[in-house]
Amino acid sequence: MSAPYETAQPERSAVDAMPGTVMLDFGANWCGYCRAAEPLIDQALAGSQGVRHLKVEDGPGRPLGRSFRIKLWPTVVVLRDGQEVARVVRPVSADEVRVALAQAGAA
C-alpha cells in the first residue's frame, strides 16, 4: 500500500526545478477512483528506477493542482527535468501509467 496523499506540497517553481523523472499523482485519500488506481500506479512504478513519486492531495484552493489544471482524480502527471511529457487521467491499467513513464525515458 502506498503512502497517503500529502497535504503539504511543494511550490510549482520547486517542482519545475526537479531534475530527472518526477511523477505527480494528484488525488484525495477519500476518493474511490484514487483508491482503485493506487495498486495500478504502484505496479507501474515497480519496474521504473529513479522515478520520484509525489502523491499530492488536490482540491479547491490547492495551488499546485490548479497550476497543472487538474480536473479529475486521480491524475498522474509525468515530468522530465521539470517539463510535462505525459498525463494519465483515471488510469484503468498499470500499462497506461507505464506508457506515460516510458515517454519520460523512465521505463
Side-chain angles (χ1 to χ4, degrees), residues 16-85:
D16 290 343
M18 291 179 181
T21 303
V22 177
M23 185 174 80
L24 299 172
D25 178 357
F26 290 96
N29 294 315
W30 51 264
C31 169
Y33 291 104
C34 301
R35 289 187 300 223
E38 184 177 50
L40 305 174
I41 293 167
D42 289 344
Q43 287 173 16
L45 280 169
S48 299
Q49 299 297 320
V51 175
R52 185 172 180 180
H53 180 206
L54 300 175
K55 291 185 75 169
V56 180
E57 184 176 275
D58 191 39
R62 297 285 186 175
L64 190 58
R66 301 300 62 78
S67 73
F68 280 98
R69 296 185 174 146
I70 302 302
K71 301 290 184 195
L72 295 172
W73 304 325
T75 294
V76 173
V77 178
V78 179
L79 307 173
R80 179 75 183 165
D81 296 328
Q83 298 297 313
E84 182 174 340
V85 295

